[in-house]
Amino acid sequence: MSALSTSNGLDARKWGVLLVLCGAIFLEGIDVAMLNVALPAIRADLGLSTGELQWVMSAYVLGYGGFMLLGGRAADLFGRRQMFILWLTVFLLFSGLGGFATEGWMLIVARFITGVSAAFMTPAGLSIITTGFAEGPERNKALLLYSGTAAGGFTIGLVAGGLLTAVGWRWVFFAPVVLSFLILVAALAYVPKSERPDRTGQRVDAAGAVTVTLALVLIVLGVERAAHSGITASAATLTAGLAFLVTFLVIERRSAEPLVRLGILRNGPLVRANLSAMLFAAGFFGFQFLVVLYLQELRDWSPLQTSFAMLVIGIDAILSPTLTPRLVNRFGNAAVILGGLLLAVLSYGLFLPLGADWSYAAMFPGLVILGLAFSLAYGPLTIAATEGIAEEEQGLAGGLLYTAFQFGAALGLSAVTAVSVAATHGESPAALLDGYRAGLLVPFAAAVLATVVSAFGLRSRRDTVPERAGLTVSSR
C-alpha cells in the first residue's frame, strides 16, 4: 500500500493530495457544464445543425470514453503521477485552443483531444486515491468528497457558463486554462513522487486501444445518423462498430498484456456498477442537452437565465458529502444507488408532458429530484466499481468506470438528437416541442433500464453495510 495510507484519519499531506485531485475532477465538471450552457450561442455563431452541435459535446465524451481504458492502463504502467501531470498539461493547451475555433470541425477536433487528455488524467487521479487511501472508511470518505467536488464543478459551471457566454462563448474555453494552470502548479507541489513501475516484459495494448475507440465512435455515430442518413447507413455503421467491439474482445483474449483483463468482468458488482453508470450518464447528459435547447431556442431564455434555472440540479454538491455517506452507512451502496436511479426515473417522467409555456415552478420539482438522484447514484457507483479490486488493477477499474460514464453520455446525446430530429417536422414552435418531447423518452428509458440492472445488486449480501464499512461522515 502507498505511503499515503494509514489506519487513522486524513493527515495534512493526504488532504493536500486529495484537494489537488478534487481540483482536477472539479475542472472536468465545470468544463462540461459551461459548454452545455453555451451550446446555443455556439450554434448561432458558427452556424451548426443540431447533429453538428451534439458532436461538440460528443467529441469530448468520446475522446474521454474511447481512450479511458488506455488511460487506466497507462497509469498502472507508466506511473500515476506522471500521467496525471502530463495530460493535465495537454488538457490546458487544447481547452484554450477550442476558444479560437472559427469552424465547427475545429471546435470538434479541439474538444476530442481535450477529451483524450481527460481520459488519461482522470483514471490516473482516481487510482492515486484508490491506491493511496486505505480501502474502507478512509477511501470511501475520499471518494465521496471526490465525487461531491465533481458535482460542485458542475454547479459552479452552470452559473459561470451563463456569465461567460453573456460576454462571449469563447470565454467558456479560456477560463479553464487558468484553473488548469493553478491545479498543475499544486500537483507538482503536493502529489508525491512514487517509484517508477517495473515494466519489464509489459507493453501497451495499442491494437486493443484502437479497436475499442473505433467501436465506441462508430456505435455513437450509427445512432446519431439514424435520424438523417436512413436505416441502411445507420445499420451499416452500427454493424461496423459492433465488429470492432468483437475484434477488441478477441484481441484482449489472446493478448499477453491485455488492455482489459477479461476476467475482471466476472466481478458482478463491478459489471452492475458500470452498466448502471453507462445508462445513468446517457439519461443525464441527454436530458441536459434537450432542456438547454428547449429553454434557449424555444422559450428564448438567455444563457444566464438558463444557468440559474438548471442550478438547482447542483444540490448534489451539498448532498453528496453530507447526506450520501449517512445513507450508505445505513443502507449500503446497492440500496442507495437503486434509490438514486428510481429518483432519476421520477424526474424524467415529470418532464415527459413538457409544455410550450411551462413555468419554472412546473420544472422545479423534476430538476431538484434529478439533483438528489445524482447525489445518491454517482458517488456510490464509484465505490462499487473499485471496491475489492487489486491495487495493481485500480487504474483498470477506474478506466472501466469512466469509459462507461463517457460512452453512456455520448450514446445518450446521440440518441436524444436522433429521436428529437426524427420527430421534428418543420421549424415551428409546435414542431420543436414535439421533437423535445420525443427526445425526453430516451433519458426516461435509460433510467428505467439502469434501475432494473441495479436492482440485482440488492440480491447480494456482499454489499457494504455499516458494521463492515465503518464509513465516516464528513464534518462538512
Side-chain angles (χ1 to χ4, degrees):
M1 183 65 67
S2 165
L4 281 173
S5 180
T6 70
S7 59
N8 299 317
L10 304 184
D11 57 27
R13 190 157 59 97
K14 287 185 180 182
W15 274 114
V17 173
L18 184 58
L19 288 175
V20 170
L21 300 175
C22 285
I25 202 68
F26 175 88
L27 171 67
E28 195 263 333
I30 197 172
D31 181 78
V32 171
M34 289 195 301
L35 178 59
N36 192 46
V37 174
L39 286 175
I42 294 172
R43 184 218 286 267
D45 191 26
L46 300 183
L48 305 180
S49 67
T50 301
E52 291 172 317
L53 190 66
Q54 70 90 15
W55 275 106
V56 173
M57 289 287 288
S58 291
Y60 176 86
V61 295
L62 276 174
Y64 201 156
F67 285 88
M68 183 64 72
L69 294 174
L70 183 60
R73 179 65 173 160
D76 292 335
L77 284 181
F78 300 109
R80 298 174 178 103
R81 182 182 189 270
Q82 294 91 323
M83 289 293 98
F84 180 78
I85 289 173
L86 171 63
W87 290 98
L88 176 58
T89 304
V90 177
F91 187 99
L92 182 157
L93 293 173
F94 278 88
S95 180
L97 287 175
F100 292 106
T102 57
E103 300 285 343
W105 69 266
M106 295 178 184
L107 184 55
I108 290 170
V109 169
R111 291 304 293 169
F112 180 77
I113 298 176
T114 305
V116 171
S117 66
F120 284 86
M121 177 179 72
T122 303
L126 179 60
S127 61
I128 289 172
I129 293 178
T130 56
T131 59
F133 294 80
E135 184 171 344
E138 183 176 278
R139 185 187 296 176
N140 288 348
K141 179 178 182 178
L143 287 173
L144 288 171
L145 287 173
Y146 183 72
S147 60
T149 305
F154 172 78
T155 302
I156 294 174
L158 287 174
V159 178
L163 292 170
L164 292 172
T165 304
V167 177
W169 64 263
R170 297 180 188 278
W171 285 100
V172 167
F173 297 93
F174 296 146
V177 173
V178 177
L179 183 57
S180 300
F181 179 77
L182 294 175
I183 295 169
L184 179 60
V185 172
L188 291 170
Y190 288 106
V191 177
K193 295 182 179 179
S194 57
E195 295 182 6
R196 294 184 65 86
D198 182 6
R199 300 195 300 271
T200 303
Q202 299 186 13
R203 62 182 180 83
V204 173
D205 180 12
V210 170
T211 52
V212 73
T213 301
L214 287 172
L216 299 185
V217 170
L218 288 170
I219 289 170
V220 170
L221 180 61
V223 172
E224 189 273 331
R225 294 182 72 185
H228 54 78
S229 297
I231 189 64
T232 302
S234 179
T237 307
L238 284 170
T239 301
L242 292 174
F244 274 111
L245 185 59
V246 171
T247 303
F248 166 72
L249 294 174
V250 171
I251 290 172
E252 299 310 285
R253 185 177 181 85
R254 296 179 177 179
S255 175
E257 294 292 337
L259 193 63
V260 177
R261 183 181 65 82
L262 297 182
I264 200 172
L265 300 180
R266 298 191 186 100
N267 185 313
L270 179 145
V271 172
R272 281 194 300 273
N274 279 273
L275 286 175
S276 297
M278 181 186 73
L279 292 165
F280 181 71
F284 190 77
F285 275 76
F287 175 81
Q288 288 182 84
F289 181 74
L290 286 177
V291 170
V292 167
L293 294 183
Y294 164 77
L295 292 176
Q296 293 192 39
E297 297 191 342
L298 182 64
R299 303 293 301 279
D300 292 323
W301 287 26
S302 70
L304 193 56
Q305 286 176 307
T306 302
S307 295
F308 281 111
M310 303 283 283
L311 185 60
V312 67
I313 299 176
I315 192 175
D316 63 324
I318 299 171
L319 298 180
S320 289
T322 54
L323 175 65
T324 304
R326 289 184 170 90
L327 293 177
V328 170
N329 228 359
R330 176 68 178 84
F331 301 106
N333 269 331
V336 175
I337 292 168
L338 181 61
L341 296 175
L342 285 170
L343 288 174
V345 172
L346 175 60
S347 171
Y348 302 143
L350 290 173
F351 269 85
L352 290 180
L354 185 69
D357 56 354
W358 265 21
S359 66
Y360 184 61
M363 291 181 272
F364 183 83
L367 294 174
V368 74
I369 290 171
L370 183 57
L372 179 57
F374 195 94
S375 69
L376 296 183
Y378 186 72
L381 281 171
T382 304
I383 295 171
T386 57
E387 196 168 44
I389 304 300
E391 180 172 327
E392 63 271 16
E393 289 193 320
Q394 283 293 331
L396 170 59
L400 285 170
L401 176 65
Y402 283 101
T403 297
F405 271 125
Q406 301 307 320
F407 177 58
L411 201 58
L413 285 164
S414 61
V416 298
T417 299
V419 173
S420 181
V421 169
T424 303
H425 304 291
E427 299 181 1
S428 67
L432 290 175
L433 183 60
D434 287 341
Y436 296 143
R437 282 176 173 168
L440 286 169
L441 289 169
V442 173
F444 179 76
V448 170
L449 287 173
T451 302
V452 172
V453 171
S454 180
F456 285 97
L458 291 178
R459 299 174 59 185
S460 173
R461 302 307 301 166
R462 292 162 53 195
D463 183 54
T464 300
V465 294
E467 293 77 12
R468 280 169 274 179
L471 182 63
T472 57
V473 179
S474 170
S475 60
R476 290 171 56 188

